[in-house]
Amino acid sequence: MAEPATVSAREERILGIIETARGKRPKFRDERITMAHGAGGKATQSLIEGLFLPALGDGALAELADAGAISIDGVELAMTTDCYVVRPLRFPGGSIGDLAVNGTVNDLAVSGARPLALSLSLVLEEGLAADELRSEVEAISAAAKAAGVEVITGDTKVVERGHADGMYVCTTGVGRRDRRARLSPAGIRPGDRILLSGSIGEHGMAIMLARGEFDLDASIESDTASLWPAVDVLLDAGGEGVHCLRDATRGGVASVLNELARASSVAMLVREGAIPVQPAVAGAAEILGIDPMYVANEGKLVAFVAADRADEVLEALRGAPGCEQASEIGEVRTEPPGMVLVETSFGGRRVMDQLVGDPLPRIC
Amino acid sequence: MKFVDEFRDASLGRAVAAEILSLVEPGRHYKVMEVCGGHTHSIYKYGVDDLLPANVELVHGPGCPVCVIPMGRVDDGIAIARQPGVIFTCFGDMMRVPGSEGSLLEAKAAGADVRMVYSPLDALRIAKQNPDREVVFFAIGFETTAPSTALTLKRAKAEGVANFSCICSHVTIVPPLRALLESPDLRLDGFIGPGHVATVVGARPFEFIPADYGKPLVVAGFEPLDILQSIVMILRQLAEGRREVENQYARVVPYDGNLRALEVLGEVFELRPHFEWRGLGFISHSGLRLSEAYAELDAELRFEVPGVRVADPKACQCGEVLKGVIKPWECKVFGTACTPERPIGTCMVSSEGACAAYYNFGRFAREREVV
């Protein structure tokens, strides 16, 4: 045994090395793309920060925001794009057409931009039933109408059988930045309250069950919906007191909080008991060994709000459609920076880490 | 959820935590090993260790069946998965465990047909649905999962499913525990016994721990209150000078186990002379293979497998970390050659392993440690 002082010095040095390594931009060293690179966790991050950013990211992209900002003659616009690949195409609560509109609209909305227009690109698989396509086009039309956006351009490609799971959809959205909005990860301050717009895990769980791999029956519907009405209410009630918004899609609420804690060098403390989860989602998650905090949502956002405005903003948010269960789930702190801690319902505290890859069900 | 919420009650948790505090001798440091990976997961999920006094430390044991599979066996699995016409099936968390040249997840990305299943019966169903393909199941786990593999093999044999086979990497819990206890530098005061394994083998096989090594063992359930209560029972034994096997999980675990399941295990499997554990090396009679009567379903006989032992790097000190002899950061490869992205030993493979947790949570993990 070494002398205690030396031991702690060595430990300190090793911790320092690890912290430096973790602080560095992750390298992309994998030989092939695996499903983990699409799961929104550490592997995705290494792909984006290790491959895309070095090549493309010296301008607005470097911020890695949900939507990029562009200013034209004093008019502030936001632009975002997304591809939608989902199997099955239709699932309880929605379909790929709903997602393609709402997902893109939501990336604009949480950037503080009122969605204006969409482009629509379709990659169709040879043999797709015309009725399926027709019903998706109708879904897109209805969702666009509900979200108040217009599809103003589009493109169609057909690929050979076996190549596109029926159909892939890509949409690009343009929105106008709202004057009330002062939103950015850099705006998050220690002391801010964290609000969540409703119950979590419904979309991801609905998809998992709809795939029929689990022999589980539960009535869980995707929460796909436009978030602009909720953002509108938030900006009205909170104004500049609303510091940052994110929609908690792939990787769930846990991934969003981790990304933002890292981006803003703050800590977050979340109270597990305050997070609304529908009983059916909680039950399915329990059986599958998956934490709902990491399951995707398609109509939920996380808001960081100045402490003195949090109560009134929450009250107002609960009045927005689909946000009746909105809740204050935690707060921003200074220590330890870059980390998200959870106070479990059982009363213990732990780190809620970023996912490494897809949430894989566990045996042990 | 009804039926489990009672076992997750925060106010009861605080009461039991207070009882633990009243049982510890001031100035004495307690190290208690939870043997089973399922316990580690619950402890992590509910933050159970956060409710313990600073001088009661939980040490994560060798009971994560995924993490203990050595590189050579992962390589064997990948070699089979890569053969044309094979559908390779395994449990979800096995897919990320690294072999010497990548994981099953990476083999899948490179074109192998690797599928996640929830039960070996799902693998058998896939075999029946794809009679022109060879379907292989990567069987892993302790005595907990071995019976379901055994029943699946019995059914495959009875139904004559000729395109189904199984790589058996099932392990048994007692030999690695004995190996740990044999170590002269072990620093453990007691054990939280593996509740799920005990539903099959019972509590009796653990009697050697108090009898031969003078340490208490309490078979425990997996809810946070179960775990806290088992710690109370261990501390009480220590305080009263008793050393015995107790069963906290009596609502599920019969003391003599599940005789029917044991009978099926005996029919389908036999002990291997040796089995290699990641980070712990070879342990005699610690692994299972298919018995003579089931040899036709043994994928290791049906396919060419490299069967090469890939040595853990010599510097890997998982054994010492598990025994509580060293802290993760004292290992020579910790944080350099061995990281969560490219893990070497079992303690880094599992996200809840001692090394992975220490790597990820750094200073925060240390603050929680005791001095």
Side-chain angles (χ1 to χ4, degrees), chain B residues 2-86:
Chain B
K2 288 219 170 88
F3 313 115
V4 290
D5 284 348
E6 303 84 314
F7 296 99
R8 300 174 185 174
D9 185 291
S11 59
L12 283 174
R14 279 192 299 276
V16 183
E19 195 175 350
I20 289 173
L21 191 59
S22 75
L23 282 167
V24 296
E25 262 173 57
R28 176 168 175 190
H29 186 92
Y30 299 83
K31 278 190 177 178
V32 175
M33 172 175 278
E34 87 274 3
V35 172
C36 177
H39 282 139
T40 309
H41 181 64
S42 283
I43 289 164
Y44 172 78
K45 181 174 170 195
Y46 298 100
V48 171
D49 44 354
D50 195 40
L51 294 170
L52 298 175
N55 54 338
V56 178
E57 183 185 357
L58 292 175
V59 179
H60 309 321
C64 167
V66 172
C67 324
V68 298
I69 301 296
M71 288 209 254
R73 287 200 78 76
V74 177
D75 289 353
D76 289 351
I78 291 173
I80 294 177
R82 278 195 187 135
Q83 304 209 10
V86 166

Side-chain angles (χ1 to χ4, degrees), chain B residues 157-282:
Chain B
K157 191 175 170 177
E159 295 178 1
V161 187
N163 63 324
F164 179 76
S165 61
C166 165
I167 313 182
C168 182
S169 294
H170 281 297
V171 286
T172 57
I173 192 71
V174 166
L177 283 181
R178 199 180 276 279
L180 273 177
L181 285 156
E182 277 298 324
S183 161
D185 46 6
L186 182 81
R187 311 258 186 283
L188 293 174
D189 298 284
F191 292 87
I192 299 174
H196 286 150
V197 170
T199 57
V200 177
V201 303
R204 197 176 297 284
F206 301 105
E207 285 177 349
F208 75 98
I209 293 180
D212 300 350
Y213 300 96
K215 314 264 182 207
L217 178 138
V218 175
V219 174
F222 292 82
E223 297 301 330
L225 273 179
D226 288 326
I227 295 169
L228 283 181
Q229 193 192 359
S230 69
I231 296 170
V232 167
M233 291 165 77
I234 290 168
L235 293 175
R236 200 170 277 150
Q237 285 200 34
L238 292 171
E240 294 168 5
R242 287 182 294 125
R243 303 290 185 266
E244 50 200 59
V245 170
E246 288 181 291
N247 187 4
Q248 184 277 337
Y249 204 25
R251 67 180 187 276
V252 177
V253 174
Y255 201 83
D256 286 310
N258 181 335
L259 298 178
R260 178 87 186 86
L262 290 170
E263 198 180 301
V264 176
L265 289 185
E267 180 192 335
V268 177
F269 299 117
E270 62 188 28
L271 282 174
R272 294 173 189 265
H274 305 284
F275 191 80
E276 190 195 357
W277 294 60
R278 191 187 286 256
L280 295 176
F282 281 93

Side-chain angles (χ1 to χ4, degrees), chain A residues 7 11-12 14 18-19 22 33 42 214 286 288 344-346 348-351 358 360-364, chain B residues 8 10 41 44-47 50 64-65 91-93 109 118 224 329 334 352 358 360-361 363-364 366:
Chain A
V7 168
E11 181 180 16
E12 201 59 37
I14 287 167
I18 293 173
E19 275 167 17
R22 285 162 62 89
I33 295 301
K42 282 181 185 166
F214 297 135
E286 176 84 22
L288 299 177
T344 73
S345 311
F346 190 62
R349 203 182 269 198
R350 67 173 161 87
V351 176
D358 262 323
L360 295 175
R362 44 184 300 122
I363 121 152
C364 68
Chain B
R8 300 174 185 174
H41 181 64
Y44 172 78
K45 181 174 170 195
Y46 298 100
D50 195 40
C64 167
F91 293 132
D93 45 1
Y118 260 79
W329 61 267
F334 176 79
E352 289 141 14
Y358 192 86
N360 283 326
F361 310 145
R363 288 173 207 280
F364 180 73
R366 192 187 50 168

